Amino acid sequence: MARRPPATATPLNPCPPPNPTPASASPRGGGMAATIPAAFFWPPPGNYLSTVDTTPVPMRHGLDPGTLNGYGDMVLGFVYAYVPPPPVSTAATLSAAAAATTEDGEGIDRISGLPDDLLRRILSRLPAKDGARTAALSTRWRGLWRSAPLVLVDTHFLPRGGAEGRPPSPGAVSRAVRRAVSAALRAHPGPFPFVSLSCGFMEAVDRDRAVLACWFQLLATKGVEELVFVNRPLPLQGLRLPAALFSCASLRRLYLGAWRFVDTATLPRGASFPRLHELVLGAVALEDRDLDFLLAASPVLEILAIVGSVLKLNARLASHSLRCAQFCLALLEEVAVVDAPSLERFFIWRCMKQRHGARVKIGHAPRLSMLGYLEPGVHVLEIGNTVIKSGTMPSPKTTVPSVQMLALHLHFRMRNEVKMLPAFLRCFPNVETLCIQSEETREPTGELNLKFWQETSPIKCVQTQLKRLVFREFHGEEGEFAFLMFIAENARLLEEMLLVMELRRPSAPEELFARMKALETTTWASGSNKVGYMLSLPGVGGGSAWSLKAGSDFKHNDPFLCLFKMQMQ
């Protein structure tokens, strides 16, 4: 089939019936069934978006996910979806597949005849327990495992469940996994390019503290480069990560989950991560001074992600190497970009303080190009030393001209939030791609109609820069419609306006249809109708488009999924 029809063609019916399926849906007003192409449904296939917990059972430590509360399971789900997969194959075997057979049926061992360097490469791609077993093959293999780089993943040591497939108890998992990990760490001299430990179930008791100390003392001598270290249950007040963590000078990537962080005030002078490029902290009890220390002690750190909150945090970003900072589901009082000359991406997702939105301060960040999700009227935005208010007018001291892609969360039935929207947009005069996530409101305070936008003074980015608007979870409300009309009638360079609509019947379909018709036939500043439609699939996080992985992937230049093109299939 052809690509999306031209903007002047009749769009997809904006009034879908209740609960249609992607394969078939009835058109407005009944009649013959009409097939809706899959390309019209959100999210599009093959992207990073995943808010549904699809974590494999082994990555849940062999336990039912119900052993965590909903918040903890969500936070660790984000972390598990982010961490890289182990660079080994659990399906790999040293079988006779590469062996020739003689006339008398005897196999010729071709693998053992390979050079040592190649055999070590083979072993480094096997799970640790399988690699260790190769020593029993022949004298040719003895010692090879000890001299090959080791990938250590404790989920490979999980004991099997009972006869009915039920997962083992936490105690059984802990005992079996700890013994196996301790044995591997002692037996193998390293190096350890990748280590993933997530089945320990550590508790605030002396026995577990001793295990932690031993593991990190051994890891510090093994040249570990990537470390995934996740605990269950959530952080305990009396159980901290050991100071020996900072002895792992070879670390390039570090992913921590459900721990209480090292007491940085007790660390010796010079403690640092000299090679650390990427740091992810999920549900880690972290104090303000600890984050300050981490940034100062990581001179080449490029990616920082903080997911979940145990303690209230005031985050100060002062780093000359940092390129991407992400905060997700965290309890933030304030997050301030103090001095970050290399920062390109800055994301805040569902981060709140106890009563109101966090204060977001943007200081020195001359390369910042992607920013979201800000919440006008909820977040307190401060640029330089100026707090942005509804009447704040743009000036060199109140704008961030480097931002080209901006994402916002907004309740269009909350008057104070919509009144702040023009002021927020004026702060970013060069935005070319704008993503609006519309939120439902339980206690509305009233909508602002088209008159409000007609009386709004000019907004530079809308008039002279905006090329794409993606509006997710469109509900058909008057306030949403008024904003869309404002964009259509003022955005001279607009190339595409995409509305992602909820898959449910609106309360007033005729009224919605009339509004969509008015939007399509209005006088567009860009010269012609640019609106297109998609439907958001239920059960996949609505229209929200954001993930830690997409945000931190510098090869992925569209973390909000705004630039994709719809295709009819």
Side-chain angles (χ1 to χ4, degrees):
M1 295 288 291
R3 291 180 180 269
R4 184 179 61 166
T8 54
T10 302
L12 177 68
N13 185 354
C15 306
N19 301 321
T21 63
S24 176
S26 300
R28 181 176 177 270
M32 298 180 61
T35 299
I36 301 178
F40 278 115
F41 286 86
W42 183 267
N47 61 62
Y48 283 95
L49 177 60
S50 178
T51 55
V52 180
D53 185 10
T54 58
T55 306
V57 171
M59 289 299 288
R60 288 187 177 132
H61 320 283
L63 294 178
D64 189 295
T67 57
L68 281 175
N69 60 34
Y71 174 77
D73 198 35
M74 180 185 298
V75 168
L76 291 187
F78 269 100
V79 175
Y80 294 147
Y82 183 96
V83 298
V88 296
S89 172
T90 55
T93 56
L94 288 174
S95 67
T101 304
T102 61
E103 293 182 358
D104 59 2
E106 293 293 328
I108 301 175
D109 184 358
R110 300 294 192 192
I111 294 180
S112 294
L114 296 174
D116 285 357
D117 287 347
L118 190 53
L119 291 178
R120 292 189 186 97
R121 289 187 183 185
I122 294 173
L123 291 175
S124 68
R125 286 164 173 77
L126 294 176
K129 61 179 181 180
D130 294 334
R133 290 170 180 162
T134 61
L137 294 177
S138 68
T139 56
R140 175 73 177 80
W141 289 88
R142 291 174 188 170
L144 282 175
W145 177 75
R146 285 176 51 82
S147 62
L150 179 67
V151 172
L152 180 61
V153 182
D154 64 356
T155 53
H156 296 164
F157 299 117
L158 282 173
R160 296 181 180 180
E164 299 179 1
R166 290 175 295 185
S169 67
V173 170
S174 298
R175 289 188 293 271
V177 168
R178 290 181 196 180
R179 285 195 297 268
V181 170
S182 296
L185 288 173
R186 290 191 179 96
H188 198 287
F192 285 17
F194 185 97
V195 175
S196 176
L197 305 176
S198 57
C199 307
F201 309 117
M202 301 291 185
E203 297 181 0
V205 295
D206 290 342
R207 177 189 66 249
D208 290 353
R209 293 190 186 97
V211 171
L212 274 178
C214 176
W215 282 2
F216 275 95
Q217 288 166 6
L218 291 170
L219 284 171
T221 67
K222 307 293 185 178
V224 59
E225 296 182 359
E226 296 186 55
L227 175 61
V228 180
F229 200 38
V230 181
N231 193 33
R232 293 272 295 270
L234 289 178
L236 300 169
Q237 289 292 87
L239 184 64
R240 285 187 180 271
L241 288 168
L245 171 63
F246 279 86
S247 300
C248 300
S250 55
L251 276 173
R252 294 186 298 109
R253 294 181 175 88
L254 177 61
Y255 312 91
L256 299 175
W259 291 104
R260 188 167 183 82
F261 198 71
V262 180
D263 184 1
T264 55
T266 65
L267 290 173
R269 176 178 291 186
S272 67
F273 290 130
R275 299 182 60 197
L276 190 66
H277 281 262
E278 186 171 356
L279 175 63
V280 178
L281 305 175
V284 172
L286 187 77
E287 297 185 18
D288 299 346
R289 67 182 184 187
D290 299 326
L291 181 57
D292 292 342
F293 183 93
L294 272 170
L295 292 174
S298 307
V300 298
L301 185 69
E302 293 187 352
I303 297 171
L304 170 69
I306 295 180
V307 188
S309 230
V310 178
L311 301 175
K312 184 171 58 180
L313 187 64
N314 289 276
R316 297 176 70 258
L317 302 182
S319 167
H320 282 219
S321 61
L322 193 65
R323 297 177 61 194
C324 175
Q326 303 193 74
F327 296 84
C328 167
L329 298 171
L331 186 59
L332 286 177
E333 278 288 320
E334 178 178 291
V335 55
V337 181
V338 179
D339 183 20
S342 300
L343 188 67
E344 302 169 26
R345 302 179 174 201
F346 182 29
F347 304 130
I348 307 170
W349 193 79
R350 306 298 188 190
C351 290
M352 302 290 289
K353 68 178 185 180
Q354 291 177 331
R355 294 187 178 181
H356 305 288
R359 179 179 291 263
V360 180
K361 301 174 65 174
I362 302 177
H364 183 59
R367 298 182 61 184
L368 182 63
S369 61
M370 298 180 183
L371 175 64
Y373 278 92
L374 294 182
E375 301 185 33
V378 178
H379 287 149
V380 177
L381 178 61
E382 182 176 334
I383 296 177
N385 295 316
T386 303
V387 175
I388 305 303
K389 300 180 180 179
S390 59
T392 301
M393 298 305 292
S395 72
K397 294 183 179 181
T398 62
T399 57
V400 186
S402 58
V403 173
Q404 295 182 321
M405 184 175 288
L406 176 66
L408 304 172
H409 275 139
L410 206 71
H411 298 83
F412 277 88
R413 298 179 69 188
M414 302 293 289
R415 296 177 65 89
N416 289 340
E417 294 188 25
V418 179
K419 284 183 177 180
M420 285 299 302
L421 179 55
F424 270 49
L425 291 176
R426 290 190 185 101
C427 293
F428 308 101
N430 292 318
V431 166
E432 296 181 358
T433 301
L434 177 62
C435 177
I436 299 286
Q437 174 78 34
S438 183
E439 303 283 347
E440 289 189 275
T441 308
R442 294 183 179 180
E443 299 180 3
T445 60
E447 296 182 84
L448 294 175
N449 57 25
L450 186 57
K451 182 181 179 182
F452 166 79
W453 290 102
Q454 290 172 339
E455 296 175 350
T456 297
S457 57
I459 300 174
K460 181 182 177 182
C461 70
V462 173
Q463 290 188 323
T464 65
Q465 301 295 326
L466 189 64
K467 295 180 181 179
R468 302 173 190 87
L469 171 67
V470 176
F471 194 106
R472 297 198 178 92
E473 296 309 280
F474 179 74
H475 306 102
E477 299 170 355
E478 182 179 1
E480 296 174 330
F481 170 72
F483 175 72
L484 294 175
M485 288 289 286
F486 170 74
I487 295 295
E489 294 175 354
N490 289 272
R492 302 168 189 166
L493 300 183
L494 192 68
E495 299 173 358
E496 183 177 26
M497 176 189 289
L498 176 62
L499 306 187
V500 182
M501 309 177 71
E502 284 190 302
L503 254 181
R504 62 179 177 87
R505 180 182 291 277
S507 57
E510 292 79 9
E511 181 179 346
L512 174 61
F513 186 78
R515 285 178 175 167
M516 292 299 93
K517 199 68 177 176
L519 176 62
E520 294 163 16
T521 58
T522 192
T523 302
W524 287 67
S526 58
S528 62
N529 173 19
K530 299 298 193 304
V531 69
Y533 302 94
M534 292 183 76
L535 301 176
S536 63
L537 287 170
V540 291
S544 180
W546 177 86
S547 75
L548 285 169
K549 186 173 293 186
S552 297
D553 184 356
F554 295 110
K555 295 180 181 178
H556 191 71
N557 64 356
D558 183 20
F560 305 118
L561 299 181
C562 295
L563 307 181
F564 67 91
K565 299 296 183 183
M566 292 188 302
Q567 295 183 359
M568 296 184 65
Q569 299 177 352

